[in-house]
Amino acid sequence: MARYLIVAHQTACSPELLERVKELAAGDQAAEFTLLVPATPTGHLLHNWEEGEARQLARRRAEEATRRLSDAGVRVTAARVGSHSPLEAVGDELQARPGYDRIVLSTFPPGVSRWLRGNLPAILNRRTRLPVDHVVAQVREPSGA
């Protein structure tokens, strides 16, 4: 049984991430997945955000993504909100709950994703010594727009 740490925020509900996680779950029926949503401020909060707002948004995203993953048959054992820094959030999670086998990182494409500006997938791999599956989610217009 493998333990996977899914790290995502704005892309947590993306079809690309859902498909990748479903593939992993299909390959190991006993696999367990934990969703970690860093409380990173998103676009509309960038100029004047408060930590409470960012955490609340991250919590809602985690709940929605957990629901979608569970509905797709994925065994999500926990959903957590972490530090605003994805690197710190992952470090905190691995220190508090060691034993993950792989990280599944979901971002927007290069040029759009703030997480990729510092090459987060490679840094996570180097610091954690865990394999990192990088899922790139397409930017979609919000529904109702």
Side-chain angles (χ1 to χ4, degrees), residues 39-113:
T40 304
T42 57
H44 68 281
L45 296 175
L46 275 178
H47 60 281
N48 189 19
W49 67 281
E50 293 184 21
E51 184 176 349
E53 290 175 301
R55 292 189 76 76
Q56 185 178 40
L57 179 61
R59 172 59 48 206
R60 284 195 308 265
R61 188 73 38 92
E63 290 168 0
E64 181 182 356
T66 298
R67 207 168 26 255
R68 287 185 183 197
L69 289 164
S70 296
D71 288 350
V74 174
R75 190 169 160 207
V76 180
T77 57
R80 297 188 181 88
V81 172
S83 166
H84 72 280
S85 161
L87 197 53
E88 284 181 35
V90 170
D92 292 346
E93 177 66 19
L94 295 180
Q95 185 174 8
R97 295 165 199 87
Y100 287 100
D101 298 295
R102 179 175 295 269
I103 296 170
V104 180
L105 174 69
S106 179
T107 71
F108 284 127
V112 177
S113 171

